[in-house]
Amino acid sequence: MPAAVSVRNLQIETTSGVPVVMDVSFQIAPGEVLGVVGESGSGKTTVGLALLGHARRGLRIAGGEVLVGDQDILMLDVEHLRRLRGSTVSYVPQDPASSLNPALRIGIQLREVLQAHAGGRGRDHDERIAETMREVALSDDPTYLRRYPHELSGGQQQRVGLAMAFANRPRLIVLDEPTTGLDVTTQATVLSTVRELAAAHNVAALYVSHDLAVVAALARRVAVMYAGRVVEFGFAEELFESSAHPYTQRLVGAIPRLTGGRSLLGIPGHAPSPGRRPPGCAFAPRCTMHIPECDAQIPPLSPVGPEHSARCIRAVEVMPQTQARAGDPVDVAPAAGSAVLTLENVVARYGKVEVLHSINLQLEHHECLAVVGESGSGKTTTARSIAGLHRDWTGSIRLGDKELETSARSRSTESRRQIQYIFQNPYGSLNPRKTVGETVGQPLAVFGIAKGREADHRVGLMLEQVSLSAAYARRYPDQLSGGERQRVAIARALISSPSILVCDEVTSALDVSVQAAIVELLGQLQRDLGLSMVFVTHNLPLVRSIAQKVVVLSEGSIVEYGETAQVLADPQQPYTQQLIAHTPSLETATAEARVGEQRRPVIER
Amino acid sequence: MTWLRQGGIGAFIIRRLLLGVLVLVLVSILVFAATQALGDPARAILGRDATPASLAALRAELDLDQSVLGQYLSWAGGLLNGDLGNSLAAQQPVTELLGSRLVNSSVLVLCAAVISIPLSIAIGSWAALRREKAFDTVSSSAMLALAALPEFVVAVLLVMLFATTVLQVLPAISPISPGQRPWDVPEGLVLPTATLVLAVAPYVARIMRASMVEVLESDYVEMARLKGLPERTVLIRHALPNAIGPVFQVIAINLAYLAGGVVVIEYVFNYSGIGSALQDAVVNHDIPVVQALAMLIAGVYVLLNLLADVATILVTPRLRTRL
């Protein structure tokens, strides 16, 4: 069977000649979905864009071949490349909200991709547009096509993105983390749409993601990228059960599990940036199996099994370890039984809309309570009301036996110190003009805890406690990675010794491996410092590793509330069951990989 | 009144017009108060030798014997009726005095706007497209240099270049005799217009470049290219409408500046417009003329800002659908 696309020795470098992506080769058969997994900066998106002959500003494709059919698209001139893009090879971007033009109606954006390749004007493509809209499960009503992108939900926007990509029946489609930022339920439906369309029209697809569990939901074969190279290549289930590269192994260890609360293992350190990559194996500095030979030269991608290869000289030793190296079971200590925070009949509004209906919750001493739900469920409003950041609520929130004012501004300094908040996006929550030291030290001054050298000393200790060194105090946020920023935010929250920590989706902007490290850190700090914690997330398996209790919210009401292990193992409510089924976890991922095995595309000739 | 809050773009314009009227009322109070400080008009007209009796008589004739509030009310009432009073120096109605000058200045400003806006949008967009290449470097430096030069220096340089020292192809001054219209002497319009264009274009071009650079880096422009759209479509349909929104505000501010800023240019070229009228009026303590011109310029500011906001809303669906 001829491959739909075949990439050979792809090399991409910066315009100043620093290699970014090296020696990437793979083939995708018609109807097949190939997964590409890697952390931010691994070069996965760069590879995806190269399949359209595109390199972002500052980068250029330096060598190799991208054969679509028997045409090397890297040899095409500008005009032929333009005709190829959007027709033979199409692209589904990461963030649908920013990839749709805010000033154009979606109908126009859909129509122009047909006009650009098939010609025609006016209403020529009406029928094709309606058909494409139905394929992605959107309304084909002309009034719907007159909407602007901001009048659509995130899931609908991404369906428009899919419609544009599938409109011209491409041979190859590149999907660049198209479900990042979508709810688990929306993600699940978008993924199944992609799966069905790719199979129905025999389209080859490259699916790029940082989340192995998500990729496995769609792709049978997966390439794992690290520092610009493919480090492992194989069937999804092989990567889960007998990965041959230590990096893949650690990546699998970082995926949250539904069953058996195991600690998530983050990967210490971070990937080397282009130009600073070591001469030997790029993962060697972070690898626990590192031996001197690893630094000698870049290991070749060697076969370790049928259609399974890895770039590790110790692959044979690595393979049997995967299961053994999963995290240890977490012994989540029982809570002390005295309520530190009580919510009674809390009703919150945005303007005239009631977004929380009578919430009753209790957070006990030393307890971590997970608040889980989809966007719009009211989970963040609950957290913000507790911290006094959302003011428009009625009912009662008690800290110990002390009634709290609605807004943080009118609360006493002491109750503000007791409740600290960590925000979702570490890129937005740190002041870029302040050093890490100033940011972390600020609560000390605000609450009058310490100043001068004493404050500096405490900042240093706090930074060590969140696994950063005291030297970070002099850095600015833009010198830090996402995971490091979130550690700084944790340090800022903990330096005033609060009794309650409110974490609002603190890992959703981070890579899976970084998420694991942050959750690991929070769990450890909670045990060491005896914190009580409200942990808001949309990721159910994630809470298994950290929370004693979980409350599931839907449309502003509590759907289910109970012990984490019990809720996850035996959910009583259909909503919770559905949420669990749609969330990518190690279990769903391996199950999907097995189903994918049976769905192996059959090409009749 | 709820329709005013939710009635779409029409209600928005009415709402903003009402606000504009409020602004003009406040401006009129300030203008009136400030012109009181110019001194006693009666003494200005009659000079040093005036007798107390003749001063008193003139004050009565000019209604200056009323209370300050009374003077303001009768002046403001006149404004509403289109009666701007009589010029003290020329002894003729202000409307008559300014009418032809207003036409002269408007022609100058319009010429400058019609040339400078498309030109600066084109230069800014092209510089953004050729970012960090030769055209961008040269045009950005030139624009910065022009923005740094005061416009009378630009005017004098242009005169030296085209009228006196180097070439003698254009008139150095552009007087318009009474009864003549600016288009009767088109060659006289060239240098004043060129000066105004050079004064305004740099600001608009720089903001256009910045806005365009940002839009060209956006995900939706990358997406448009990856959809295989022709580059023309990418630029004209996808990039331009998004880039031009913020530029409208700068264009409005600059046009309003032109309306007030023609003073210097008209002086340099001896062009008889409202700028030179304003200058004469201040020198002569001709308070009714100063007041009328100040209100006129304020009105232009209010109107241009309203137009800019409406234009921004029209190219930004997110704002439009919220109305």
Side-chain angles (χ1 to χ4, degrees):
Chain A
M1 181 179 59
V5 61
S6 148
V7 174
R8 283 187 210 139
N9 293 322
L10 184 66
Q11 315 277 340
I12 298 164
E13 55 185 38
T14 64
T15 40
S16 51
V18 178
V20 173
V21 167
M22 288 147 294
D23 303 329
V24 170
S25 304
F26 55 80
Q27 294 193 334
I28 313 176
E32 187 194 358
V33 181
L34 175 74
V36 173
V37 175
E39 291 172 278
S40 10
S42 62
K44 57 188 189 301
T45 294
T46 310
V47 168
L49 289 173
L51 299 195
L52 290 102
H54 178 67
R56 288 211 168 128
R57 195 175 166 76
L59 296 177
R60 64 187 184 91
I61 301 172
E65 292 181 332
V66 176
L67 296 172
V68 177
D70 47 11
Q71 173 97 70
D72 182 0
I73 66 160
L74 301 184
M75 306 302 277
L76 293 178
D77 61 28
V78 177
E79 180 54 22
H80 284 94
L81 202 53
R82 178 189 78 69
R83 282 193 218 147
L84 172 110
R85 290 174 181 165
S87 60
T88 314
V89 186
S90 64
Y91 180 72
V92 181
Q94 176 167 15
D95 181 2
S98 64
S99 302
L100 291 173
N101 192 323
L104 290 177
R105 300 178 194 277
I106 57 165
I108 294 175
Q109 301 194 48
L110 192 50
R111 189 185 301 274
E112 67 184 1
V113 71
L114 292 163
Q115 283 174 347
H117 299 289
R121 44 179 49 245
R123 310 177 55 86
D124 281 2
H125 299 287
D126 278 2
E127 236 167 83
R128 185 77 194 85
I129 290 172
E131 185 190 347
T132 313
M133 290 294 277
R134 285 192 298 274
E135 280 177 350
V136 296
L138 286 175
S139 162
D140 58 359
D141 185 354
T143 56
Y144 191 87
L145 290 165
R146 290 184 51 77
R147 293 197 186 186
Y148 285 100
H150 72 272
E151 296 171 299
L152 269 53
S153 72
Q156 291 168 332
Q157 288 172 341
Q158 195 54 288
R159 283 167 189 281
V160 174
L162 288 177
M164 292 193 305
F166 279 99
N168 282 318
R169 296 269 177 271
R171 292 169 69 173
L172 169 67
I173 180 163
V174 176
L175 300 121
D176 187 4
E177 306 215 35
T179 63
T180 311
L182 299 184
D183 274 328
V184 284
T185 311
T186 320
Q187 167 170 295
T189 52
V190 167
L191 288 181
S192 69
T193 308
V194 172
R195 193 157 43 209
E196 281 157 21
L197 285 175
H201 302 303
N202 224 4
V203 179
L206 184 81
Y207 193 98
V208 171
S209 175
H210 71 100
D211 192 339
L212 200 46
V214 173
V215 166
L218 206 61
R220 195 168 64 93
R221 290 189 309 144
V222 176
V224 180
M225 285 193 72
Y226 185 80
R229 282 195 164 82
V230 173
V231 294
E232 186 163 2
F233 211 119
F235 293 112
E237 73 272 18
E238 274 175 343
L239 298 189
F240 287 124
E241 277 153 23
S242 55
S243 43
H245 196 286
Y247 175 67
T248 315
Q249 203 173 65
R250 302 298 298 267
L251 219 47
V252 173
I255 302 175
R257 286 140 209 268
L258 274 169
T259 49
R262 285 172 180 274
S263 69
L264 303 175
L265 293 176
I267 311 175
H270 44 85
S273 51
R276 294 197 182 161
R277 290 170 181 160
C281 170
F283 187 65
R286 302 168 77 183
C287 185
T288 49
M289 299 180 66
H290 174 234
I291 49 171
E293 286 75 35
C294 294
D295 301 326
Q297 58 174 351
I298 293 163
L301 195 60
S302 330
V304 292
E307 293 203 51
H308 186 186
S309 48
R311 213 179 266 283
C312 177
I313 51 174
R314 303 183 70 187
V316 185
E317 295 161 68
V318 177
M319 285 174 73
Q321 291 178 355
T322 297
Q323 288 308 318
R325 286 185 58 83
D328 301 323
V330 179
D331 184 21
V332 189
S338 57
V340 286
L341 190 76
T342 315
L343 275 71
E344 260 174 33
N345 198 17
V346 172
V347 175
R349 292 181 182 79
Y350 271 105
K352 287 182 184 155
V353 187
E354 193 174 298
V355 291
L356 283 182
H357 323 292
S358 186
I359 299 295
N360 293 287
L361 285 178
Q362 210 169 50
L363 178 67
E364 291 172 4
H365 198 49
H366 289 203
E367 180 184 65
C368 175
L369 171 69
V371 181
V372 181
E374 297 181 88
S375 44
S377 63
K379 57 186 191 304
T380 292
T381 309
T382 308
R384 291 173 61 87
S385 301
I386 290 171
L389 297 174
H390 181 76
R391 293 182 299 180
D392 192 3
W393 56 269
T394 55
S396 149
I397 299 181
R398 285 196 304 278
L399 177 65
D401 47 13
K402 196 167 160 296
E403 200 73 40
L404 286 176
E405 302 285 329
T406 48
S407 86
R409 197 173 290 184
S410 45
R411 290 180 187 174
S412 70
T413 312
E414 178 56 17
S415 40
R416 271 186 288 146
R417 185 187 66 78
Q418 294 275 357
I419 303 177
Q420 289 292 316
Y421 200 92
I422 305 174
F423 293 88
Q424 173 173 12
N425 185 350
Y427 293 88
S429 69
L430 300 181
N431 186 336
R433 301 176 64 88
K434 283 189 173 174
T435 63
V436 166
E438 286 167 344
T439 296
V440 175
Q442 197 169 33
L444 293 178
V446 170
F447 296 120
I449 299 168
K451 51 185 173 184
R453 294 177 67 110
E454 167 65 12
D456 292 345
H457 180 64
R458 287 197 187 207
V459 168
L461 287 180
M462 195 66 237
L463 288 175
E464 306 266 354
Q465 209 161 13
V466 295
S467 311
L468 297 172
S469 72
Y472 274 74
R474 285 189 298 278
R475 297 201 196 175
Y476 284 91
D478 66 336
Q479 294 167 293
L480 308 182
S481 69
E484 288 171 332
R485 286 171 198 238
Q486 204 55 295
R487 286 170 196 272
V488 171
I490 293 172
R492 170 175 61 184
L494 291 182
I495 198 159
S496 59
S497 316
S499 55
I500 296 168
L501 191 60
V502 183
C503 304
D504 181 12
E505 297 253 25
V506 291
T507 62
S508 65
L510 305 174
D511 277 341
V512 171
S513 62
V514 182
Q515 159 177 294
I518 293 289
V519 168
E520 192 186 357
L521 173 73
L522 281 172
Q524 185 207 332
L525 288 169
Q526 191 222 351
R527 288 188 292 276
D528 294 354
L529 305 174
L531 282 172
S532 308
M533 196 150 83
V534 177
F535 191 86
V536 174
T537 181
H538 65 269
N539 190 337
L540 258 175
L542 189 61
V543 310
R544 190 71 177 87
S545 309
I546 187 163
Q548 288 95 342
K549 279 197 181 159
V550 59
V551 53
V552 181
L553 287 182
S554 170
E555 288 171 7
S557 297
I558 293 181
V559 177
E560 197 154 356
Y561 183 18
E563 302 285 334
T564 307
Q566 206 176 344
V567 170
L568 290 195
D570 185 19
Q572 298 300 307
Q573 299 298 321
Y575 180 78
T576 319
Q577 291 163 3
Q578 192 195 342
L579 206 57
I580 291 175
H582 286 153
T583 310
S585 66
L586 193 64
E587 287 78 6
T588 54
T590 20
E592 289 279 1
R594 293 216 177 82
V595 178
E597 182 78 355
Q598 292 150 13
R599 264 203 316 263
R600 234 174 249 249
V602 183
I603 313 287
E604 287 159 31
R605 309 194 66 187
Chain B
M1 288 302 268
T2 46
W3 70 271
L4 252 187
R5 235 169 280 144
Q6 293 150 356
I9 189 104
F12 170 80
I13 293 174
I14 293 172
R15 218 157 57 220
R16 286 291 308 266
L17 278 174
L18 291 176
L19 272 175
V21 168
L22 183 66
V23 168
L24 287 179
V25 168
L26 293 173
V27 168
S28 74
I29 294 172
L30 288 174
V31 164
F32 187 79
T35 44
Q36 293 293 304
L38 275 179
D40 184 349
R43 187 171 287 281
I45 293 166
L46 295 176
R48 270 161 204 251
D49 311 328
T51 60
S54 60
L55 277 175
L58 188 58
R59 286 200 183 114
E61 191 193 323
L62 297 174
D63 291 342
L64 295 178
D65 49 353
Q66 291 181 37
S67 70
V68 173
L69 183 66
Q71 287 180 47
Y72 171 73
L73 288 177
S74 67
W75 171 66
L79 272 184
L80 290 180
N81 294 324
D83 172 17
L84 302 176
N86 288 323
S87 160
L88 300 182
Q91 294 297 336
Q92 67 183 77
V94 173
T95 37
E96 259 175 49
L97 179 79
L98 291 184
S100 63
R101 285 168 170 260
L102 197 56
V103 172
N104 295 353
S105 286
S106 305
V107 167
L108 189 55
V109 169
L110 269 176
C111 286
V114 165
I115 296 171
S116 69
I117 293 172
L119 182 73
S120 50
I121 286 178
I123 292 178
S125 304
W126 191 247
L129 272 176
R130 299 258 153 253
R131 188 174 160 200
E132 281 155 34
K133 297 199 175 128
F135 178 83
D136 181 32
T137 320
V138 171
S139 73
S140 292
S141 319
M143 291 295 159
L144 191 62
L146 279 174
L149 284 178
E151 59 247 44
F152 67 88
V153 176
V154 176
V156 170
L157 286 177
L158 285 178
V159 166
M160 283 168 62
L161 267 179
F162 295 106
T164 57
T165 320
V166 184
L167 300 166
Q168 285 94 31
V169 290
L170 289 165
I173 54 167
S174 323
I176 297 170
S177 25
Q180 251 186 342
R181 290 300 190 186
W183 48 84
D184 297 334
V185 272
E187 69 277 9
L189 274 173
V190 176
L191 286 184
T193 304
T195 312
L196 288 178
V197 167
L198 290 179
V200 168
Y203 298 100
V204 181
R206 284 174 67 82
I207 208 79
M208 185 70 211
R209 177 188 177 275
S211 180
M212 196 67 171
V213 162
E214 195 177 305
V215 168
L216 288 177
E217 295 275 293
S218 72
D219 288 355
Y220 53 83
V221 166
E222 178 175 65
M223 189 60 218
R225 289 194 172 127
L226 292 179
K227 273 156 77 177
L229 302 183
E231 191 65 11
R232 248 179 89 83
T233 315
V234 173
L235 295 180
I236 291 173
R237 190 185 292 165
H238 286 261
L240 204 59
N242 286 294
I244 208 148
V247 178
F248 282 135
Q249 304 292 331
V250 178
I251 290 176
I253 295 280
N254 273 289
L255 284 185
Y257 161 78
L258 274 189
V262 285
V263 178
V264 180
I265 303 305
E266 290 182 0
Y267 179 74
V268 170
F269 290 101
N270 199 10
Y271 187 89
S272 96
I274 58 165
S276 46
L278 181 60
Q279 194 218 355
D280 292 343
V282 172
V283 171
N284 297 331
H285 300 270
D286 196 345
I287 290 174
V289 176
V290 174
Q291 288 170 334
L293 286 172
M295 290 309 297
L296 183 73
I297 292 170
V300 169
Y301 264 85
V302 167
L303 195 66
L304 283 172
N305 274 302
L306 172 62
L307 287 178
D309 286 350
V310 171
T312 306
I313 286 172
L314 286 179
V315 297
T316 318
R318 187 184 284 276
L319 298 174
R320 194 162 72 216
T321 52
R322 197 192 289 159
L323 285 174

